[in-house]
Amino acid sequence: MRADPWLPATAPPAQEPRGLGDSGSSEFLGVPRSSSEFLGVPRGSSGFLGVPWSSTAFRYHVAVRGRIFAAVAILAVLIAIVVVWKRSERFAGLDLYVYFVAVQLAGRADVENIYSSETHARIGEEFYARGQESDFDIWRYDSERRRNIDIVSSPFLYTCLGWLSRDYRIALRQYHALLLAAFAAGVLLLGRAARLAWPVSLLLLAVLLVTYWGFEADLRVGNVNSIQLAAVGASLVAPPFLAGAVIGLLIAFKPNLILIPILILFARVVRRDWQRLRLEIAGGAAGGVIAFAAASIFYGSPRVWIQWVSRAGEFYHRLPPRKYGNVTPALTLFETYGTWLSYALAATLVVVTCLAIWKSRRQDDVLIVGIAVLIYLMSALVVWPHYLVLPLVVVIGLLRWPVPAVVSIVALFLIAEKPLRFLGVDPPPDARFIAPAFAALFVAAIWKLVSSDSHPAPGT
């Protein structure tokens, strides 16, 4: 008969690492040496309230407490989902509107290049007229705001969304459901990769759904950061070949997380983990080929990739000011000294991370991937509020240790906004809290990457 996971009989056996995740177990928010300790019973005691560990009554007591905790966590998630779903009914889909238009251009004889300015002006007016004729007020609003359509994302991103309804009212609800499911999956998969206890991951998910600014922003505009979070989480728990394929698809979907495979590659070389590296490279190549072929078929020609690369080069050199919602931490420096500083900052942080990986020679893919995400966010010219879904990778990775967990939670408070408002603190309009939050997360992650106690063995 299968052992009850809430009983404290023995420590869990060591497990083979899976996928990119190889982070060891945790003694803080994961299931500790015994589940009884996690449920409030001190380590080292011979019993609880005079009842021996081996007592059936005690084991029943621990199991009941564990199941109550799990039930409360599940209930909290269900309530949070209902709250978010009701709240999202009136959310516009400004970014989704662009995807909605772009997927409908596939196969049209009058559209040779979906990324050209001429196509944007003509198609923008066409879909604006459609939106204004609709009885759906959000469609009218989005078509007005996006009258000057700006199609810049990867053709594979649009290909992945080709299943959306051509009725904007339905497409909006479909996409809200997708983002909600993707965000939930991302948080739970990251919790699994970090070996957090399931009830802890569920409670964290419930809190983030209701209070986290990054997810609300992603849902409000209909962007893809929650989908990216789910893909990152999946790569950290999947077998190596599949993990590589997921990362390959992710980079083709949106290449802003290109540092993830670069740092993982460096970590594999440092550890001489050639077998896993070969599988991941093969998977990544397979994912890239699938993405290239899928988008080429969807848009009728592989030329769409060349057209996108040309257009993306223009987009990635933009520097929107703070008043437009750009919350990149180093915006003032970029405006003062030039955008070249973005590359210098990214290179510096990459060197620091590689030195930490080299010094530790340990494998903690959750932290390495989280750091890769942070480097992008700390050095990017543009960081929109919905990008703040992505720091959850390193936030969840740091919850495995008490001191970094405190740093992680404080940083999350500074980023999230809603908890600060609940405490009577108004976040500054210039996003000045985000820079120290990112810096604290980066320092904590590097510290745990090089510290000798970063990976307690299972059962210790």
Side-chain angles (χ1 to χ4, degrees), residues 93-101 127-128 143 146 149 168:
L94 293 177
D95 289 344
L96 172 62
Y97 180 79
V98 178
Y99 310 153
F100 176 78
V101 172
F127 279 83
Y128 166 75
S143 64
R146 291 293 197 181
I149 201 77
Y168 193 65

Side-chain angles (χ1 to χ4, degrees), residues 3 5 9-17 24-26 31-33 192 195 456-460:
T10 59
Q15 298 180 1
E16 290 296 322
S25 67
S26 166
V31 178
R33 179 168 184 167
R192 173 64 176 169
R195 309 286 179 87
T460 61

Side-chain angles (χ1 to χ4, degrees), residues 134-351:
S134 170
D135 61 352
F136 184 35
D137 60 332
I138 295 180
W139 192 351
R140 294 196 301 271
Y141 173 78
D142 286 346
S143 64
E144 173 68 31
R145 289 284 301 274
R146 291 293 197 181
R147 187 170 183 173
N148 297 319
I149 201 77
D150 195 15
I151 298 174
V152 296
S153 297
S154 152
F156 181 60
L157 186 154
Y158 300 135
T159 301
C160 291
L161 301 178
W163 56 273
L164 289 173
S165 171
R166 276 28 177 187
D167 183 325
Y168 193 65
R169 188 195 309 267
I170 298 174
L172 197 60
R173 297 310 277 165
Q174 287 175 329
Y175 201 68
H176 287 162
L178 173 63
L179 290 185
L180 185 55
F183 184 78
V187 172
L188 295 179
L189 288 170
L190 288 170
R192 173 64 176 169
R195 309 286 179 87
L196 301 185
W198 277 112
V200 172
S201 295
L202 288 168
L203 285 177
L204 176 64
L205 172 61
V207 173
L208 291 172
L209 283 172
V210 176
T211 67
Y212 193 52
W213 180 36
F215 172 62
E216 181 175 324
D218 202 33
L219 200 60
R220 280 186 178 276
V221 300
N223 207 269
V224 297
N225 299 105
S226 296
I227 298 173
Q228 290 180 291
L229 188 76
V232 170
S235 72
L236 288 167
V237 299
F241 180 84
L242 184 56
V246 170
I247 292 298
L249 292 168
L250 175 63
I251 300 307
F253 183 82
K254 191 169 183 177
N256 59 343
L257 299 183
I258 187 64
L259 284 178
I260 291 178
I262 292 174
L263 291 183
I264 288 293
L265 172 65
F266 181 79
R268 297 289 184 263
V269 172
V270 167
R271 290 196 69 198
R272 300 181 181 275
D273 195 349
W274 308 118
Q275 181 179 1
R276 176 178 287 190
L277 179 59
R278 284 193 294 269
L279 289 171
E280 289 169 347
I281 290 176
V289 169
I290 291 171
F292 180 83
S296 299
I297 293 170
F298 186 74
Y299 282 104
S301 170
R303 287 182 302 174
V304 70
W305 287 98
I306 299 174
Q307 295 164 351
W308 168 63
V309 170
S310 175
R311 178 63 174 162
E314 302 173 14
F315 175 76
Y316 289 128
H317 288 87
R318 298 176 183 176
L319 187 61
R322 190 76 77 193
K323 66 179 182 179
Y324 292 151
N326 185 7
V327 296
T328 186
L331 179 61
T332 302
L333 295 176
F334 298 152
E335 291 175 334
T336 303
Y337 299 104
T339 57
W340 66 269
L341 193 60
S342 169
Y343 301 99
L345 179 58
T348 302
L349 296 175
V350 167
V351 169

